[in-house]
């Protein structure tokens, strides 16, 4: 699959590397990439991963937004406060829903936001395979992202509509509180057990 990753920070760089390792044709863009080049990469992609700070979505250039029309856009953002210790959005809406509103022509799927960047490259733990919830309003797009997550070694699970991002985004805040507030470190994650 042709995939464009917008954002080359902790999350974007690991996802780009992992997606390339699994055989996908991946391009990346960051703040230094000219807008025309980002728009061209997005236009050529079948799927786009948004791995930028949540607040940066509102500032996406109109040419990039236009190029996202008709694309599956994986929203890996989280609406974190400046100190990372709380969320700026929640319960009556979500960052995922706000991303979809900002990109009305795109098919937004929330995924990869509930896993620490360091764990994106290591989804297996002593306790099992890390849980990767995937939410979106388009069944086919959700299925595509679930399959992509499984290719990367995650226990990727379809959790329903994009409104369920209201429950997924607090998951990362809980992990942040445990990792940094309680000193457990960022090598933690969630495993979904089944009978």
């Amino acid at each position: 699959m042709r995939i464009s990753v917008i954002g080359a920070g902790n999350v974007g760089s690991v996802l780009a590397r992992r997606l390339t390792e699994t055989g996908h044709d991946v391009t990346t863009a960051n703040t230094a990439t000219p807008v025309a080049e980002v728009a061209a990469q997005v236009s050529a992609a079948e799927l786009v991963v948004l791995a930028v700070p949540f607040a940066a979505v509102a500032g996406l250039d109109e040419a990039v937004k236009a190029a996202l029309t008709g694309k599956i856009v994986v929203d890996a953002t989280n609406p974190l406060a400046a100190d990372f210790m709380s969320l700026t959005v929640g319960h009556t809406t979500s960052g995922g829903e706000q991303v979809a509103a900002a990109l009305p022509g795109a098919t937004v799927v929330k995924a990869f936001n509930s896993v620490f960047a360091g764990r994106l490259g290591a989804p297996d733990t002593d306790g099992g395979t890390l849980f990767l919830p995937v939410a979106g309003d388009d069944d086919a797009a959700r299925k595509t992202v679930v399959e992509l997550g499984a290719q990367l070694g995650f226990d990727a699970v379809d959790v329903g509509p994009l409104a369920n991002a209201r429950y997924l985004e607090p998951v990362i805040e809980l992990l942040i509180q445990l990792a940094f507030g309680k000193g457990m470190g960022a090598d933690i994650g969630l495993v979904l057990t089944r009978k």
Side-chain angles (χ1 to χ4, degrees), residues 31-111:
T31 54
T33 308
V35 171
E37 187 178 328
V38 178
Q41 288 179 10
V42 167
S43 292
E46 298 168 81
L47 181 140
V48 177
V49 177
L50 273 182
V52 297
F54 172 72
V57 175
L60 286 175
D61 187 272
E62 292 303 318
V64 175
K65 288 182 180 180
L68 290 168
T69 299
K71 304 291 181 185
I72 296 173
V73 176
V74 178
D75 173 23
T77 70
N78 282 302
L80 299 173
D83 67 358
F84 299 106
M85 299 308 282
S86 65
L87 298 174
T88 60
V89 175
H91 305 301
T92 57
T93 188
S94 67
E97 290 166 286
Q98 291 185 7
V99 168
L103 306 172
T107 302
V108 174
V109 178
K110 189 75 173 187

